[in-house]
Amino acid sequence: MKKLILSLAAGCMLTTGYSQQIPQKEVARIINTLAADDMQGRQSGTPGSDKAAAFISDEFKKAGLLPLPGEQSYLQRFSYYGLHTTSTAMTVNGTAKDWPVVAVGPSRHIQLRRDTATCTEMRAGNPDELRAALGKRKSLQKNMIVWLAPSLSGYIANLEGSISSRMYASEQAVPADTAKWQMVLVLEKEPLTAQDNWSVEQTRSVRAQEFTNVAGMIKGESKPDEYVIYSGHYDHLGILPAEAGDSIANGADDDASGTTAVIMLANYFKKKHPARSLIFVAFTAEEMGGYGSSYFSGHMDPAKVVAMFNIEMIGKESKFGKNSAFITGFEKSDFGTILQKNLAGSEFRFYPDPYPEQNLFYRSDNANLAKVGVPAHTISTTQIDKDQFYHTVKDEVSTLDIKNITDIIKAIAVSSGTIVNGTSTPTRIVPVER
């Protein structure tokens, strides 16, 4: 039986051999396709997201991957349940208005009116003020209405899909309406004065929303019941307010870069006869709350998952310079130490997460498996404290360093070699009590 051999000197990592196996031209082709305008920002549940899923599925087919056990294709379809608006009535001085209304939280029937004794009013004229207003939703002392400036109209669809209500794995799990205080966001299409009387009423009911992960695998030759996962999320924010005529949040770095890495690694390892089984998965709905990885992790036996390489935002140089990336939750297992050892003698370095205050370990798709004990970590280069393109329409391929992305993919391929071939097994992460 042919074994996966990756224990050759890591110093050869960026030689012609690896360049041929992980060609920069292919990296550019894939990331340009995923981040193209015709993907419309890949927001979950949209035609753009479906188009991206079909493209990734086709790439997995070309790589020769197998569907996951129990699946008929690479498309892992599932539903989550949340509240959906069934009726809305907005009036100003008794006149009906078609102003968008977004409820925040679990309320199924919302009824607010201008009454300072029971309702607080705020205004948000820019994204920072909107974030500040949303930050108050867990500490309400009375009802609150937040008037959004017309310039924030492009955020409405994303707000409805992300903060309107949590989603649950079953209809029965959606909690009853027990909220004492209610918050709504309303797009103020016309300026209101202190003399204007307004009222908002909205009814919501439970509805299923369909999602699709894209996943394939290579069956291990000697340890087929032990799994190593390579993942990234292919969804993004869709359409945002236009800047200089551009309204598409292309998500080139976040996370077309990571999804590209997953596809390239699938092609690379398909030729290596791994000892352990390898799963390659592009998650949906990360931006909405990690629903794709939540569903996926719920259908995996965590005891059989040896490690998870989640890849998120590797498109730019890290704060440590070129030929470097960082690993979130570095101290929680010896996963990172193994990767560092496998790269000894090379020009590439993995570092611990330099942004612990950002809580990045629990902000990506690795978290759902890490919580149940899997050594699941995210590899990234993003300078999250200063990235001006993060979650904007300016996250375009033109802002990325394709060679840097290619070098990181090569480093992941080499550094994971002993885990893939069964000679290294990372220590487990302490599970989170539920």
Side-chain angles (χ1 to χ4, degrees), residues 99-122:
W99 299 2
V101 175
V102 179
V104 179
S107 297
R108 303 194 188 194
H109 183 235
I110 295 153
Q111 194 166 17
L112 303 182
R113 60 187 176 85
R114 171 161 272 173
D115 182 348
T116 56
T118 62
C119 188
T120 301
E121 298 184 50
M122 288 187 64

